[in-house]
Every structure is written in C-alpha cells, then in structure tokens.
Amino acid sequence: AQSVTQLDSQVPVFEEAPVELRCNYSSSVSVYLFWYVQYPNQGLQLLLKYLSGSTLVKGINGFEAEFNKSQTSFHLRKPSVHISDTAEYFCAVSERGFQKLVFGTGTRLLVSP
Amino acid sequence: NAGVMQNPRHLVRRRGQEARLRCSPMKGHSHVYWYRQLPEEGLKFMVYLQKENIIDESGMPKERFSAEFPKEGPSILRIQQVVRGDSAAYFCASSPQNQGALGETQYFGPGTRLLVL
C-alpha cells in the first residue's frame, strides 16, 4: 500500500526567503507524484506533477519539485516566497494504473512580512 | 470554461438525517472522484465513478454511504442517517480520462462542508 509522509505540519517563513516543503512516499511500484495547494475554504489546485522524465519539475507560481527515486522523496521548493503563498500544501501519489490519489496530511506554510 | 462545481457549499444536518452532495464535473470530463477531508487531516479517497458505473469504491464506508454518476446530471454522494463523525469537507474531482493510465490531473471542486449537529 502506498503512503505519503509530510514531516512538517507547519512551516513559518519570512517573505522573500526560500522555502522547502518535504514529502516522502512509500510504494513498491512506479508512481505519479503531485503537489496541490489549498487556500482557506477552497478546493485544491495543482501546483505541479511528476510523471516521468526529468526529475526536476517546474510548476505554477514559481514552485518546483525534485523527484528522488533512491530517497523516495518529492520535496517542493520556492526560492522566494510571497505573503500570498500562505496556504496548505499537500503532496499526493498515485500508482500507475490506479486512479486514486493518496494524500499526505499537509503542510501549512505561513509567510509573514 | 467552468471548473468543477459542487453544491451546496455548506450543509447542516441533524443526526439521523440524510445528506446529498452534488458534483458537476468540468465540461468534457467523464471521470469523477470523491474525497473526504476530516479536520486537520489530508484528503482520503472514497470512490471513483464513470458515467453509470462505479469503478473503485474501496474507500467508501460499508454502510450509509453511496455514490452515483448518472448518464444525465451531476454525481451524487449520499449519506444516510448521518452521525457527528461524518462532519467533514467532501471534495469532488474530475478528469477527462483514466488518470491512472495517463497521469491525467484531477481537478478539484471547492468542496461541501458538512456539519452534523
């Protein structure tokens, strides 16, 4: 069975500082990997996804993530955050050939001035 | 191009009542997924449907919960005889084709927040 671990429940950071949100997964088969963002009282919006190919994936709003197969990680990074990046971020995985997404418990990014 | 629509956005029910949650997928999408988000937790998969078919219901509770996606109209998640533990945000997502085979993105609606008194 797949599982996703987001080690940090909350990450406080100052505006314009870099940030990394960590995500580790476990699966015995090939997977697709996703990062979603959720703003308060809204649905989830896809930031980026890894299907195959280059391990560095660039997404919207200046975010990027790197797939590391040996460490089973898919950490999300942004070189300079904005106040508007304050939100909940979810890492998710799906096994190839299966439809359901398995989500981590989320990381709350708090950006302060 | 309208996104995934869910209604109602907020629903209050008393214990023992029924809750009906509706989801209209994005135009051109024929695959619908339902997820539940309990307070302070991530989303948990419930069910995956195509038009008139339930494909995967491995995440659905065995009792009181049912889902359908008729040929015409929205997908419905139905919870009978609600209990306080059913209080959660229920999200619907849609995709244009088989997400598992092609890595298609699931597009999420704004959710229905169910409160059981």
Side-chain angles (χ1 to χ4, degrees):
Chain A
Q2 311 151 72
S3 67
V4 177
T5 301
Q6 292 184 248
L7 295 168
D8 306 302
S9 60
Q10 190 165 290
V11 173
V13 64
F14 289 109
E15 192 174 20
E16 298 183 7
V19 71
E20 179 179 81
L21 306 183
R22 296 180 291 171
C23 172
N24 288 87
Y25 69 94
S26 67
S27 177
S28 57
V29 298
S30 296
V31 297
Y32 298 133
L33 294 156
F34 305 80
W35 275 100
Y36 281 87
V37 60
Q38 184 182 31
Y39 299 101
N41 296 317
Q42 295 187 26
L44 278 69
Q45 179 183 8
L46 181 71
L47 280 176
L48 47 79
K49 64 181 179 181
Y50 172 78
L51 304 183
S52 64
S54 173
T55 57
L56 183 63
V57 182
K58 292 192 182 297
I60 62 171
N61 301 339
F63 284 93
E64 63 180 30
E66 185 154 19
F67 169 58
N68 188 319
K69 188 174 181 179
S70 63
Q71 298 188 5
T72 60
S73 68
F74 190 55
H75 300 332
L76 181 71
R77 296 191 292 257
K78 186 169 183 178
S80 176
V81 295
H82 302 291
I83 297 285
S84 60
D85 292 324
T86 295
E88 189 94 21
Y89 291 80
F90 291 97
C91 181
V93 62
S94 70
E95 288 187 1
R96 299 190 182 200
F98 291 87
Q99 296 74 29
K100 66 181 181 183
L101 293 172
V102 176
F103 284 88
T105 51
T107 296
R108 190 162 296 171
L109 178 63
L110 299 170
V111 182
S112 53
Chain B
N1 186 13
V4 177
M5 300 179 71
Q6 291 187 248
N7 67 80
R9 293 290 304 274
H10 300 273
L11 183 61
V12 180
R13 286 285 178 267
R14 297 192 181 279
R15 282 178 295 170
Q17 292 184 319
E18 178 180 287
R20 280 183 179 243
L21 287 61
R22 294 174 183 77
C23 169
S24 296
M26 287 180 70
K27 187 177 181 181
H29 288 193
S30 57
H31 299 246
V32 165
Y33 316 81
W34 285 94
Y35 293 84
R36 176 165 64 175
Q37 184 179 30
L38 294 169
E40 305 301 320
E41 293 187 17
L43 281 74
K44 303 282 190 212
F45 169 80
M46 299 181 75
V47 62
Y48 161 48
L49 311 104
Q50 296 177 20
K51 287 282 187 181
E52 300 184 282
N53 285 302
I54 296 175
I55 307 302
D56 180 357
E57 56 181 349
S58 58
M60 286 281 270
K62 299 299 181 194
E63 298 178 345
R64 302 187 297 109
F65 284 72
S66 62
E68 62 177 8
F69 189 17
K71 187 176 181 180
E72 300 291 337
S75 175
I76 307 287
L77 179 67
R78 183 184 178 200
I79 311 173
Q80 295 178 291
Q81 300 176 329
V82 296
V83 300
R84 287 204 174 128
D86 296 333
S87 295
Y90 292 82
F91 290 95
C92 168
S94 71
S95 68
Q97 26 187 332
N98 187 318
Q99 191 262 348
L102 300 175
E104 288 286 349
T105 300
Q106 292 183 24
Y107 295 85
F108 283 79
T112 293
R113 280 147 184 86
L114 173 65
L115 176 62
V116 180
L117 302 177

